[in-house]
């Protein structure tokens, strides 16, 4: 196991040694089972998440899959049963890694980054942030043997309808989405409450100085100082954007508001 927390976060071209410190008890923990532990913390070591990592508000541990590999060469994969291209991660190797991970973080959900998984949502990130942490499995090659997925009741999650070469980038995105919801990580709880998906809608447009840029002015309502009207304008804009860009979210929002999902409201 390799862990990171309460240490200086600096950019480096060298693979980061994540084993330098003892595990912090009672702290929200992200464990990552990966063939490339050197990929972490990556962007998670920067900005607000990196500062929170250094301050011990959460901790990151890697479980190097190769260490559980079979034989002299630490093999972790084999050819797919039934034929086909590529290789498949072996269930016995993955099971050994998961047993080690669960012994350190019992009760945490097991998530496998997979394009066939259930879409990851803000609601799922919020639920994960409220728990003890999570163990993420980064796939490689043609994926993971289905038997270990079934045996460990692993939850498959997807970040979108596309395929990556491995799960490490997706794991960092999922961790970031969850960690930023942990109290004190962002420092301003209002920013969490007002962003996209917080009320079932996409976020309204944002503006800042200068008041006029390249002939484009900030909407006058935002400079009026009339907070009630500004709030109404922001809500209307959020509804308009959601209806235009995410009809699935729009229908869900209407249902939550006890409104007809098929209504054709002019926004």
């Amino acid at each position: 196991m390799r862990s990171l927390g309460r240490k200086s976060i600096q950019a480096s071209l060298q693979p980061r040694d994540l084993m330098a410190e003892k595990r912090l008890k009672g702290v929200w923990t992200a464990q990552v089972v990966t063939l490339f532990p050197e990929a972490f913390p990556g962007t998670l070591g920067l900005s607000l998440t990196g500062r929170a990592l250094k301050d011990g508000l959460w901790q990151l541990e890697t479980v190097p899959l190769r260490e559980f590999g079979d034989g002299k060469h630490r093999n972790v994969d084999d050819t797919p049963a039934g034929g086909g291209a590529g290789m498949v991660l072996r269930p016995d190797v993955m099971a050994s890694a998961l047993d080690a991970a669960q012994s350190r973080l019992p009760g945490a959900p097991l998530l496998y980054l997979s394009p066939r998984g259930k879409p990851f949502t803000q609601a799922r990130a919020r639920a994960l942030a409220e728990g003890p942490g999570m163990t993420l499995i980064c796939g490689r090659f043609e994926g993971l043997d289905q038997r270990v997925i079934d045996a460990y009741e692993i939850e498959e999650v997807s970040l979108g309808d596309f395929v990556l070469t491995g799960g490490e980038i997706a794991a960092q995105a999922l961790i970031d989405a969850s960690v930023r919801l942990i109290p004190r990580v962002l420092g301003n709880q209002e920013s969490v409450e007002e962003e996209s998906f917080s009320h079932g809608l996409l976020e309204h447009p944002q503006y800042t100085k200068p008041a006029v840029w390249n002939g484009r002015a900030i909407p006058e309502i935002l400079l009026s100082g009339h907070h009630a009207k500004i709030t109404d304008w922001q809500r209307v804009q959020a509804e308009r954007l959601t209806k235009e860009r995410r009809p699935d979210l729009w229908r869900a929002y209407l249902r939550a508001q006890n409104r007809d999902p098929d209504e054709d409201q002019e926004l």
Side-chain angles (χ1 to χ4, degrees), residues 154-165:
I154 297 170
E155 175 185 352
E156 296 185 70
V157 294
S158 170
L159 296 191
D161 295 336
F162 55 90
V163 179
L164 299 171
T165 54

Side-chain angles (χ1 to χ4, degrees), residues 82-99:
M87 306 289 278
V88 177
L89 291 173
R90 291 176 46 151
D92 51 348
V93 173
M94 182 59 69
S96 296
L98 293 180
D99 288 343

Side-chain angles (χ1 to χ4, degrees), residues 63-126:
V63 182
L65 185 60
R66 186 69 67 182
E67 294 181 3
F68 300 88
D70 181 61
K72 177 181 178 181
H73 299 291
R74 299 285 186 179
N75 294 325
V76 300
D77 58 354
D78 212 321
T79 55
M87 306 289 278
V88 177
L89 291 173
R90 291 176 46 151
D92 51 348
V93 173
M94 182 59 69
S96 296
L98 293 180
D99 288 343
Q102 288 187 314
S103 69
R104 292 175 62 85
L105 194 61
L110 295 175
L111 283 70
Y112 170 43
L113 285 309
S114 168
R116 73 179 190 184
K118 184 177 180 181
F120 188 69
T121 65
Q122 187 72 6
R124 189 71 183 102
R126 189 175 296 110

Side-chain angles (χ1 to χ4, degrees), residues 48-62:
L48 296 177
T49 55
R51 185 183 307 163
L53 186 61
K54 178 183 175 182
D55 292 342
L57 297 181
W58 71 286
Q59 62 187 338
L60 174 66
E61 300 178 350
T62 58

